[in-house]
Amino acid sequence: MGVGGAWLDDGTIIFFPLAQDLIYRVSEAGGAGERILEFDGIQRGFLRAGALPGGRGVLFIGCSSFPCIQSEAWVLDLETLEPRMLVDQAGGAWYVPTGHLVYVRR
């Protein structure tokens, strides 16, 4: 499962290939996608990506089952390419201009 993507400030697009536990980055000008994250079976899909300011990271929802009954809010640091779970059982998460993370739990 894979739904959504995010257009970053630096001119790159983050996207999730359908039915894979991968995250890719591609230039807005086109070209080949670069695999930047693979969860190795921990996650089974990603939803609702959102860019963080300055192109530093991406906020997304990861599903650990299909259909997406178990989900978590994650952030991917685009400098280190390290993912970190932020909120367990999150159905959605958004960064707001005040610098806060707003999320809903299932």
Side-chain angles (χ1 to χ4, degrees), residues 38-87:
E38 180 173 2
F39 267 99
D40 296 326
I42 297 170
Q43 296 295 313
R44 295 188 181 167
F46 305 110
L47 303 167
R48 300 183 196 107
L52 296 177
R56 167 89 197 230
V58 176
L59 181 65
F60 63 93
I61 299 298
C63 294
S64 54
S65 63
F66 183 78
C68 190
I69 298 168
Q70 302 279 345
S71 61
E72 305 88 18
W74 290 79
V75 66
L76 174 61
D77 183 319
L78 293 173
E79 290 181 7
T80 65
L81 299 181
E82 290 294 322
R84 184 174 58 154
M85 186 178 53
L86 301 175
V87 181

